[in-house]
């Protein structure tokens, strides 16, 4: 056989390594289906000397709304980079061992397609939801949309404009909601973005249980103690504190009880939060490994999962987290004998001075180099705690992010687990080499190794 022509038959689960050319003739709004179809040609086949895949894609010429940027972006290992720059200057953000080559005319047409998408983000979202409704023959849920497009959930909350929220998109598509709903949601867009960054499915499921309990409570009744005393409640709600304080024109900091009261009174916010948490609770992000060094029992963090700065400090029970967020890159938590390390790998000159541009990078997936603050020395304070951690007293926990900001706002951190110092050199700052109890995921090792 030289050619096999199929329709919706070999999308997935078919392994024919000899396939060296794929021809796309079928429009699809689903990036999952697109990547599955592409994958039929990505099998290695040494016996025939196959070293590349030729892709002939005719759909883009047929459908004006076809978005090359989405398709190419779905294949990048680092979703934060600009697809346009990757097409223009060569694909440098692909998974290890992969490459994409576009011939000149194809590259020009792809760039023209990306640059021609001049509609506003809201218009694009509304159009995409309408097309999904036609395909599903029902009003799609936020989960439906995210599963079909593989988009980052923070897409809906990147700006402080509730018209871009899920409720706002449905209202724009005439599929539900009202302007009044958007007014109730808009003050909380930043907090919803923090929730949208969560990749911890158990935390999302706990959030749904909170909303279920609120819906079932009689007027004036309190949350069950088992839920109210669970530290996961603090992690989920802490980012709402500032918005609740401003909404109620209060001078003092909010508490979790204040946020619960707002949720009880704000039905549109509850609906938006439920829609988002439902999507997050089924999001495919791979299994979280069991940490080789156990996280303290009271600390609800999962290895290789994403948390904002406030959320991770709330998880460790930071006493003043509702009043202020620690801005330092290190923090000592006496309650858990824990030393928190917050690392930004790519340090731009606008955010970091020469004095704070510490050398933090991965040497291997299990070995990391980190520099302490410029004032640290081995004989006192934080420096002494680092020395003690090397000797087995206390635990250091590593959190990593690529940059200060990404396309959705402030970038959250990935929890990399326990860090055990094995070598310490110098002072002010101290250069520390250490072992990670659990190896970094491959995609993060690529980013962290480039920071060297």
């Amino acid at each position: 056989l030289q050619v096999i022509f199929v329709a919706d038959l070999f999308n997935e689960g078919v392994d024919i390594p000899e396939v060296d050319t794929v021809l796309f003739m079928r429009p699809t709004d689903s990036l999952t289906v697109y990547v599955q179809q592409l994958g039929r040609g990505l099998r290695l086949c040494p016996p025939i000397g196959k070293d590349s895949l030729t892709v002939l894609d005719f759909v883009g010429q047929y459908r004006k709304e076809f978005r090359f940027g989405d398709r190419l972006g779905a294949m990048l290992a680092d979703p934060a980079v600009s697809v346009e720059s990757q097409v223009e200057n060569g694909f440098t953000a692909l998974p290890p061992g992969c490459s994409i080559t576009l011939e000149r005319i194809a590259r020009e047409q792809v760039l023209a397609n990306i640059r021609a998408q001049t509609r506003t983000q809201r218009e694009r979202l509304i159009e995409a939801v309408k097309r999904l409704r036609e395909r599903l023959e029902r009003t799609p849920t936020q989960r439906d949309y995210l599963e079909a497009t593989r988009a980052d959930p923070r897409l809906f909350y990147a700006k402080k404009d509730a018209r871009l929220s899920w409720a706002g998109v449905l209202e724009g598509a005439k599929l539900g909601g009202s302007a009044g709903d958007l007014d109730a949601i808009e003050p909380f867009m930043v907090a919803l973005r923090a929730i949208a960054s969560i990749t911890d499915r158990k935390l999302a499921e706990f959030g749904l249980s909170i909303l279920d309990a609120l819906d079932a409570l009689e007027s004036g009744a309190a949350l069950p103690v088992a839920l109210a005393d669970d530290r996961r409640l603090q992690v989920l709600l802490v980012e709402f504190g500032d918005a609740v304080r401003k909404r109620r024109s209060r001078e003092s900091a909010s508490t979790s009880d204040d946020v619960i009261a707002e949720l009880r009174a704000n039905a549109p916010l509850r609906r938006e939060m439920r829609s988002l948490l439902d999507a997050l609770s089924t999001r495919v992000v791979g299994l979280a490994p069991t940490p080789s060094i156990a996280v303290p029992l009271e600390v609800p963090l999962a290895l290789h999962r994403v948390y904002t700065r406030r959320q991770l400090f709330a998880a460790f029970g930071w006493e003043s987290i509702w009043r202020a967020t620690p801005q330092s890159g290190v923090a000592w938590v006496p309650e858990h004998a824990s030393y928190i390390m917050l690392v930004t790998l790519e340090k731009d000159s606008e955010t970091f001075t020469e004095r704070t541009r510490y050398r933090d990078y991965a040497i291997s997936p299990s070995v990391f180099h980190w520099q302490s603050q410029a004032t640290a020395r081995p004989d006192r304070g934080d420096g002494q705690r680092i020395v003690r951690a090397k000797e087995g007293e206390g635990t250091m926990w590593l959190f990593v992010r690529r940059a200060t900001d990404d396309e959705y706002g402030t970038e959250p951190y990935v929890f990399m687990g326990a860090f055990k110092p094995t070598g310490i050199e110098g002072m002010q700052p101290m250069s520390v080499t250490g072992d990670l109890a659990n190896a970094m995921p491959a995609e993060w090792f690529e980013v962290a190794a480039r920071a060297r």
Side-chain angles (χ1 to χ4, degrees):
L1 294 176
Q2 297 300 311
V3 177
I4 302 176
F5 193 91
V6 296
D8 283 344
L9 188 61
F10 287 178
N11 283 352
E12 57 183 303
V14 174
D15 188 11
I16 308 175
E18 293 83 0
V19 171
D20 61 3
T21 303
V22 293
L23 170 67
F24 285 126
M25 298 289 287
R26 173 194 187 273
T28 176
D29 290 322
S30 170
L31 290 182
T32 299
V33 171
Y34 179 82
V35 172
Q36 286 172 340
Q37 292 175 337
L38 180 67
R40 296 321 96 204
L42 293 178
R43 271 56 178 166
L44 297 175
C45 190
I48 66 170
K50 174 184 171 185
D51 61 0
S52 63
L53 171 70
T54 300
V55 181
L56 304 176
D57 192 338
F58 288 87
V59 182
Q61 298 297 313
Y62 163 63
R63 296 274 293 261
K64 289 184 178 179
E65 69 272 24
F66 184 89
R67 297 177 61 79
F68 280 109
D70 290 345
R71 269 64 179 175
L72 293 170
M75 292 182 268
L76 300 179
D78 184 355
V81 302
S82 164
V83 177
E84 181 177 343
S85 68
Q86 290 286 297
V87 174
E88 197 165 22
N89 303 313
F91 290 85
T92 59
L94 293 168
C98 297
S99 64
I100 294 178
T101 302
L102 296 174
E103 51 109 352
R104 181 179 59 82
I105 294 177
R107 184 174 68 252
E108 291 172 357
Q109 291 180 342
V110 169
L111 284 171
N113 175 272
I114 293 173
R115 292 164 179 167
Q117 302 295 335
T118 56
R119 291 180 298 172
T120 67
Q121 181 180 340
R122 185 167 191 258
E123 289 171 333
R124 294 198 299 269
L125 287 171
I126 289 171
E127 184 61 31
V129 166
K130 287 181 177 178
R131 293 201 302 271
L132 187 56
R133 182 186 182 280
E134 291 175 3
R135 180 156 65 86
L136 297 177
E137 297 182 343
R138 60 173 172 80
T139 298
T141 64
Q142 194 169 10
R143 182 204 296 189
D144 291 329
Y145 181 88
L146 293 174
E147 288 179 350
T149 62
R150 296 175 58 171
D152 190 309
R154 292 182 296 161
L155 171 73
F156 295 101
Y157 313 103
K159 299 179 181 179
K160 298 177 183 179
D161 182 354
R163 294 180 305 163
L164 295 173
S165 68
W166 180 248
V169 173
L170 289 183
E171 190 269 339
K174 304 296 188 288
L175 296 175
S178 67
D181 289 349
L182 306 192
D183 290 339
I185 291 171
E186 189 151 311
F188 304 98
M189 290 293 283
V190 172
L192 287 167
R193 183 170 70 227
I195 296 292
S197 70
I198 291 173
T199 55
D200 183 343
R201 292 175 64 169
K202 290 184 179 179
L203 187 57
E205 290 167 358
F206 177 79
L208 289 172
S209 69
I210 293 293
L211 295 177
D212 289 341
L214 289 176
D215 288 343
L217 285 179
E218 296 181 1
S219 177
L223 272 180
V225 174
L227 294 178
D229 290 346
D230 194 311
R231 195 175 285 178
R232 288 177 293 180
L233 181 77
Q234 306 293 319
V235 176
L236 280 167
L237 301 185
V238 68
E239 292 279 8
F240 288 84
D242 287 345
V244 169
R245 178 181 60 80
K246 292 175 183 176
R247 188 171 172 84
R248 298 189 177 193
S249 301
R250 293 173 53 175
E251 293 294 330
S252 59
S254 298
T255 66
S256 57
D257 290 340
D258 295 327
V259 179
I260 289 294
E262 175 66 34
L263 285 171
R264 293 184 73 161
N266 192 331
L269 178 59
R270 280 203 316 277
R271 287 194 294 270
E272 183 74 16
M273 196 168 170
R274 180 180 291 280
S275 171
L276 175 58
L277 288 170
D278 176 64
L280 297 177
S281 68
T282 58
R283 191 180 178 199
V284 179
V285 290
L287 296 174
T290 301
S292 299
I293 296 179
V295 182
L297 186 62
E298 303 88 350
V299 178
L301 295 177
L303 193 65
H304 299 162
R305 293 298 179 250
V306 176
Y307 305 93
T308 67
R309 181 184 287 259
R310 269 187 174 167
Q311 287 169 344
L312 68 90
F313 273 105
F316 274 98
W318 193 260
E319 187 176 347
S320 61
I321 191 59
W322 285 87
R323 298 192 300 275
T325 308
Q327 295 304 309
S328 172
V330 293
W332 171 249
V333 186
E335 177 187 353
H336 301 296
S338 295
Y339 194 64
I340 298 175
M341 311 154 59
L342 301 173
V343 169
T344 301
L345 295 168
E346 298 176 6
K347 301 173 174 64
D348 61 84
S349 57
E350 294 182 6
T351 308
F352 296 87
T353 66
E354 196 65 39
R355 186 172 173 79
T356 61
R357 207 168 295 153
Y358 305 117
R359 299 195 66 231
D360 306 317
Y361 55 84
I363 297 171
S364 75
S366 298
V367 180
F368 194 83
H369 179 277
W370 172 75
Q371 279 192 321
S372 69
Q373 289 185 300
T375 56
R377 45 188 300 162
D379 58 346
R380 67 188 185 197
D382 284 339
Q384 210 166 35
R385 293 191 183 104
I386 297 167
V387 173
R388 289 173 182 167
K390 182 175 181 290
E391 297 168 352
E393 184 179 334
T395 307
M396 301 179 73
W397 303 100
L398 178 63
F399 295 84
V400 169
R401 63 181 176 182
R402 183 186 59 84
T404 304
D405 298 301
D406 59 19
E407 61 183 307
Y408 304 108
T410 302
E411 186 171 332
Y413 293 86
V414 177
F415 179 41
M416 293 298 177
F419 171 86
K420 170 74 173 182
T422 56
I424 301 174
E425 296 179 355
M427 65 173 65
Q428 297 179 316
M430 296 163 59
S431 294
V432 184
T433 301
D435 294 336
L436 292 173
N438 291 79
M440 282 186 169
E443 65 272 20
W444 272 101
F445 171 63
E446 287 291 316
V447 176
R450 289 201 301 265
R452 187 167 185 169

